[in-house]
Amino acid sequence: MPSGTELLASPEQIAKYEPVIGLEVHVQLATNTKIFCGCPTSFGAPPNSNVCPVCLGMPGALPVLNKHAVELAIEASLALNCTVNPKSIFARKNYFYPDLPKGYQISQYDQPLAEHGFVEIHVNGETRRIGVTRVHMEDDAGKSIHDGFKDSERYTYVDLNRSGTPLIEIVSEPDIRTSDEAHAYLTAVKEVLQYINVSTCDMEKGHLRCDANVSVRIKGAEKFGTKAEVKNLNSFRFLKMALDHEIARQVALIEGGGRVVQETRLYDPDADETVSMRSKEHAHDYRYFPEPDLAPLRVSEAWMSSIRDQMPELPASRRKRFIDELGLREYDAQVLTATRAMSEYFEKAAAASGDARAAANWVMGDLSALLKQEGKEIEDSPISAENLGGLLKLIASGKLSGKLAKDIFPKMAASGETADVIVQREGIEQISDTGALGKIIDEVVAANPKQVEQYRSGKTQVIGFLVGQVMKASRGQADPAVVNKMLAEKLS
Ligand code: ADP
Ligand code: MG
Ligand code: ZN
């Protein structure tokens, strides 16, 4: 096995090449039970306690397909803009692993659940579509725990709790061109699947796993280069690091007169390098054949439309609506649809405020800062969407200045009260009445003869100071626009 201290290409060398990347993403479906038996999928149970003859791979045990898993897989397929096939076939993929007791994985092969989808990504102000080749269902293997040495023997333990956990595999077209695009693609897949509650996509628990296929070609070349598959990318940061590393390794190989061999490599984040794991087994090595214990999976038009009807509005459509109907900027719409809770909060606040752009600014600004400070998610926001909308309504109607609203905001968070209640109790109100303001302005003018003199001799910027004095005298309640206008009139 190579040591992994390979030569890496220089930025100048890398700039001559175009990377080609395709991702294979495994996602654990959020079912309570496994895909072919009734064992729980709960995380953290004592080893080998969530098992039965089916998921232990006992001879003669028969799998029964979990209907809810299929529903979630269909929802994922629709959210990824795929066509769901009316008939798909489960197949045995034969290989040996100590944590694969059946000696094969039940997957789908030449007739997958869904095909021909796409995911939209936004990178550097550019929107691109990354094709989704297929979405298929399969079961997960168990887990080997390599626990080091004991009594000078090396031990490996096998925990089969995870064996039979329902997964979907999402295979992308080789449409990705940079590590940033790969990052954006994986983010988009994660966000949409979380949004529709198909998976928690918790990477730390292994609910979202990613393998990357990478090749490089001279810019302008038509033919793809030979790819290597990089496994073990269990965080977003590692995905980007591993891709950048692998691209530099491949370019250096080619620039040095060598060639890339098709193989599977393992990313080691500690050393920031990839090492060869095995030369790529070809698909036929798995000896796929149709699973004899499961009937073909048939998805009727009626079933599919009932699943579609239960799904929430997808983030892409919501984003478009936020831009077209509410007048949001693209970036804001993107941020505000990152999670379902966020988009629902924003939409309620916008409706209650009557000013969607103001609502967007407050949710992304003051509210986000408040949540961050309190370590809370938007679901647990101390200010409800309706109450935030109520505050913004007071600004829109001229009752509150932006400054007053910012003072009231933390009080709303602390008490859970509406802005109206706080305003009434504390007698806070923006003063735009010229009579009341005229009196304060007269006092400020009388008390600051020097600045008045400066203003009149042409140093007009001193008006800022005088407006500030009026604001102070009114306890921040004066309407600054009106004050400005009245002061300018009085001094000229
Ligand atoms: P395999 O049979 O080796 O798994 P597939 O054709 O199924 O190969 O593709 C697996 C993944 O590799 C897909 O995501 C696909 O987009 C990607 N891929 C295919 N060819 C290339 C290539 N030349 N460079 C980079 N990625 C590729
Ligand atoms: Mg593959
Ligand atoms: Zn079981």
Side-chain angles (χ1 to χ4, degrees), residues 24 169 229 280:
E24 293 167 278
E169 177 172 344
E229 185 178 4
K280 178 78 189 172

Side-chain angles (χ1 to χ4, degrees), residues 5 29 33 38 42 72 74 89 164 219 241-242 316 332 341 351 369 375 432 439 445 483:
T5 50
L29 299 173
T33 55
S42 53
L72 292 178
I74 291 174
I89 304 283
K219 278 185 180 154
M241 283 163 60
D332 296 359
S432 11
K439 251 176 68 194
V445 166
V483 172

Side-chain angles (χ1 to χ4, degrees), residues 131-260:
V132 171
T133 314
R134 54 191 273 143
V135 174
H136 67 250
M137 300 184 71
E138 59 189 26
D139 61 356
D140 203 355
K143 196 174 157 192
S144 295
I145 301 142
H146 307 289
D147 211 21
F149 293 86
K150 199 166 132 195
D151 307 328
S152 75
E153 305 251 15
R154 201 178 160 157
Y155 283 81
T156 290
Y157 302 91
V158 174
D159 179 3
L160 295 172
N161 281 349
R162 208 171 73 188
S163 168
T165 297
L167 304 178
I168 47 172
E169 177 172 344
I170 303 161
V171 182
S172 90
E173 289 289 302
D175 289 345
I176 299 166
R177 293 290 172 268
T178 64
S179 61
D180 285 333
E181 287 187 0
H183 190 281
Y185 170 83
L186 191 61
T187 304
V189 168
K190 176 174 186 253
E191 282 181 1
V192 76
L193 297 184
Q194 286 178 325
Y195 197 100
I196 60 174
N197 294 326
V198 152
S199 173
T200 63
C201 293
D202 187 339
M203 272 191 144
E204 276 173 19
K205 290 186 183 159
H207 292 192
L208 177 72
R209 286 172 262 160
C210 178
D211 301 332
N213 297 271
V214 194
S215 64
V216 297
R217 59 179 171 185
I218 290 276
K219 278 185 180 154
E222 259 185 43
K223 237 183 105 202
F224 286 160
T226 304
K227 70 176 157 74
E229 185 178 4
V230 187
K231 289 203 177 277
N232 196 27
L233 303 173
N234 46 19
S235 87
F236 278 84
R237 204 165 59 90
F238 292 169
L239 169 68
K240 208 173 129 44
M241 283 163 60
L243 285 174
D244 288 336
H245 176 93
E246 181 58 18
I247 291 162
R249 187 189 71 88
Q250 292 188 9
V251 170
L253 260 180
I254 297 169
E255 287 282 295
R259 59 182 193 88
V260 177

